[in-house]
């Protein structure tokens, strides 16, 4: 059996023994324990002393070897108890882009007794050691490796407490409901800067950019738009009208995209969306199955990035986070 097949079988076995969940309590089924190198050395020395004691009929050496073995046996119990009963709760995780370090917020519940030198984290990312007497909120960072729903893999908890003779550990996979967006690619100019006919005709709409005149005041008008100076002169209450050009709305689409692969195209779109938002330029987004109308603001940007994160990932239908057709994300 190849190494890859062995790892796959091991992951499947872990999924059955410790299934993913938002809340996991460590018990005898979820904790593994083996001697460390120091523990094996300790046992070897105890065995060597026992052999010498048998050869020379030395009762003091017998007592020392038995004491060493007893101490090792007690360390197994206390090392296991240091992890047993801990409950891990997934609280939240921040959104980000592929390649970012995502903050993951967890709570460690003690189960009624203090814990010493518990190390937790993801092997290829941040790992931190904690000692705590009461429930503890912790924050770790893990690198996002793929877009879509955040799946950082199994977290490792381990402890060598109290003597370092044994290592107790567990692999826990906590469910986290947050999205990872494509890595933004800023190397390609936004379509509006190319002069390639991706902008709409020059028109205007109600906005807050250019002054366009007055009209009679209505109760629904904003107080900031009332012409108070004119009211002081004429005692006539009017509202200022403003317009903003819509001739520079940018249409972003997966079809008209310089990227090579699908992930490249999504990265380019993510970069375009972020640059349009940074320059306050309204933009629309078109990908197969979803049309988001031209708009601006952080909410529109979030909807577009969610659409890109879930596009063709197979998880958008399962989650129901982004609905196509209406141009809105929930």
């Amino acid at each position: 059996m190849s190494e890859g097949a062995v790892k796959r079988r091991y992951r499947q076995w872990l999924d059955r023994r410790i299934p993913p969940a938002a809340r996991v309590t460590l018990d005898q089924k979820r904790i593994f324990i083996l001697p460390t190198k120091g523990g094996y050395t300790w046992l070897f020395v105890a065995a060597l002393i026992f052999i010498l004691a048998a050869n020379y009929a030395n009762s003091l050496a017998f007592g020392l070897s038995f004491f060493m073995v007893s101490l090792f046996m007690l360390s197994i119990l206390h090392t296991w108890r240091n992890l047993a009963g801990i409950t891990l709760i997934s609280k939240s995780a921040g959104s980000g882009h592929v390649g970012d370090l995502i903050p993951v917020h967890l709570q460690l519940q003690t189960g009624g007794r203090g814990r010493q030198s518990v190390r937790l984290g993801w092997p290829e990312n941040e790992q931190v050691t904690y000692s705590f007497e009461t429930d503890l909120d912790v924050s770790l960072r893990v690198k996002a490796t793929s877009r879509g729903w955040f799946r950082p893999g199994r977290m490792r908890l381990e402890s060598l407490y109290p003597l370092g003779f044994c290592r107790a550990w567990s692999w826990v996979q906590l469910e986290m409901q947050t999205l990872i967006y494509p890595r933004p690619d800023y190397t390609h100019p936004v379509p509006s800067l190319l002069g390639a006919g991706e902008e709409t005709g020059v028109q205007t709409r109600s906005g807050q950019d250019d002054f366009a005149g007055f009209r009679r005041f209505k109760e629904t008008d904003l107080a900031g738009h009332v012409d108070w100076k004119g009211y002081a002169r004429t005692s006539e209450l009017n509202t200022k009208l403003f317009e903003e050009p819509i001739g520079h709305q940018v249409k972003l689409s997966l079809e008209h995209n310089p990227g090579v692969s699908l992930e490249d195209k999504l990265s380019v779109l993510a970069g375009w969306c972020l640059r349009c938002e940074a320059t306050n330029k309204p933009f629309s987004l078109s990908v197969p199955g979803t049309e988001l109308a031209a708009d601006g603001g952080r909410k529109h940007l979030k909807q577009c990035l969610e659409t890109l994160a879930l596009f063709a990932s197979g998880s958008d239908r399962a989650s129901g986070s982004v609905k196509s057709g209406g141009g809105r994300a929930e």
Side-chain angles (χ1 to χ4, degrees), residues 200-228:
T200 62
V202 178
Q203 304 175 24
T204 60
R205 66 177 178 182
S206 297
Q208 297 182 359
D209 289 348
D210 300 322
F211 177 71
F214 298 97
R215 64 166 171 77
R216 298 289 294 179
F217 173 77
K218 298 180 181 179
E219 293 183 359
T220 56
D221 292 340
L222 297 175
H225 288 181
V226 175
D227 181 23
W228 297 109

Side-chain angles (χ1 to χ4, degrees), residues 13-216:
W13 178 77
L14 274 179
D15 289 338
R16 292 192 301 269
R17 191 176 183 90
I18 313 176
R23 179 189 182 102
V24 177
T25 299
L26 302 184
D27 54 21
Q28 65 271 19
K29 183 180 178 180
R30 296 180 171 93
I31 299 175
F32 314 101
I33 186 167
L34 281 174
T36 61
K37 291 182 179 179
Y40 283 119
T41 301
W42 182 267
L43 289 177
F44 174 78
V45 172
L48 185 61
I49 293 175
F50 179 82
I51 293 173
L52 294 175
N55 285 339
Y56 294 100
N58 190 315
S59 58
L60 185 61
F62 275 121
L64 179 59
S65 65
F66 295 154
F67 171 76
M68 293 177 68
V69 173
S70 300
L71 194 61
F72 179 84
M73 298 299 291
L74 285 174
S75 73
I76 296 177
L77 175 62
H78 286 281
T79 302
W80 179 84
R81 279 174 53 86
N82 196 43
L83 288 187
I86 293 179
T87 298
L88 290 89
I89 301 175
S90 174
K91 300 188 69 176
S92 64
S95 296
H97 298 269
V98 173
D100 291 348
L101 291 175
I102 305 300
V104 176
H105 305 289
L106 312 171
Q107 185 180 59
L108 301 177
Q109 295 185 348
T110 62
R113 61 175 183 271
R115 312 292 174 159
Q116 306 296 324
S117 301
V118 176
R119 185 175 179 84
L120 70 155
W122 287 267
E124 297 180 356
N125 294 276
E126 183 179 20
Q127 299 185 68
V128 183
T129 301
Y130 294 101
S131 296
F132 48 100
E133 298 293 331
T134 58
D135 296 350
L136 178 68
D137 291 329
V138 302
S139 179
L140 301 173
R141 293 185 177 272
V142 57
K143 188 174 183 180
T145 58
S146 61
R147 65 181 176 88
W149 291 109
F150 185 44
R151 296 183 178 90
R154 290 192 173 272
M155 169 189 290
R156 179 183 175 94
L157 284 85
E158 68 174 21
S159 173
L160 301 177
Y161 178 86
L163 299 176
F165 292 159
C166 296
R167 174 180 284 105
W169 77 94
S170 182
W171 290 102
V172 176
Q173 184 164 337
L174 295 173
E175 295 177 342
M176 301 174 187
Q177 293 296 318
T178 190
L179 277 175
I180 303 300
Y181 310 131
R183 184 197 305 271
D185 182 352
Y186 298 108
T187 60
H188 301 281
V190 178
S192 63
L193 304 180
L194 297 175
E198 292 292 338
E199 296 183 6
T200 62
V202 178
Q203 304 175 24
T204 60
R205 66 177 178 182
S206 297
Q208 297 182 359
D209 289 348
D210 300 322
F211 177 71
F214 298 97
R215 64 166 171 77
R216 298 289 294 179

Side-chain angles (χ1 to χ4, degrees), residues 271-324:
W272 285 349
C273 291
L274 290 168
R275 289 175 65 179
C276 287
E277 170 62 20
T279 56
N280 297 317
K281 185 183 292 294
F283 64 95
S284 63
L285 178 66
S286 174
V287 297
T290 303
E291 295 285 341
L292 296 180
D295 203 348
R298 300 296 300 177
K299 183 178 180 180
H300 180 61
L301 174 64
K302 184 174 182 290
Q303 293 170 354
C304 293
L305 292 178
E306 286 179 349
T307 300
L308 298 178
L310 293 175
F311 178 71
S313 67
S315 57
D316 48 354
R317 293 187 181 89
S319 65
S321 279
V322 177
K323 295 183 179 179
S324 62

Side-chain angles (χ1 to χ4, degrees), residues 231-308:
Y231 176 73
R233 293 193 305 268
T234 65
S235 298
E236 185 175 338
L237 197 58
N238 295 315
T239 299
K240 299 177 183 178
L241 297 179
F242 296 87
E243 293 179 342
E244 62 181 3
I246 61 173
H248 296 292
Q249 294 176 357
V250 183
K251 181 179 179 180
L252 307 179
S253 70
L254 189 69
E255 182 180 357
H256 301 93
N257 191 302
V260 178
S261 66
L262 173 61
E263 295 302 324
D264 291 340
K265 291 178 180 291
L266 294 175
S267 292
V268 172
L269 285 175
W272 285 349
C273 291
L274 290 168
R275 289 175 65 179
C276 287
E277 170 62 20
T279 56
N280 297 317
K281 185 183 292 294
F283 64 95
S284 63
L285 178 66
S286 174
V287 297
T290 303
E291 295 285 341
L292 296 180
D295 203 348
R298 300 296 300 177
K299 183 178 180 180
H300 180 61
L301 174 64
K302 184 174 182 290
Q303 293 170 354
C304 293
L305 292 178
E306 286 179 349
T307 300
L308 298 178

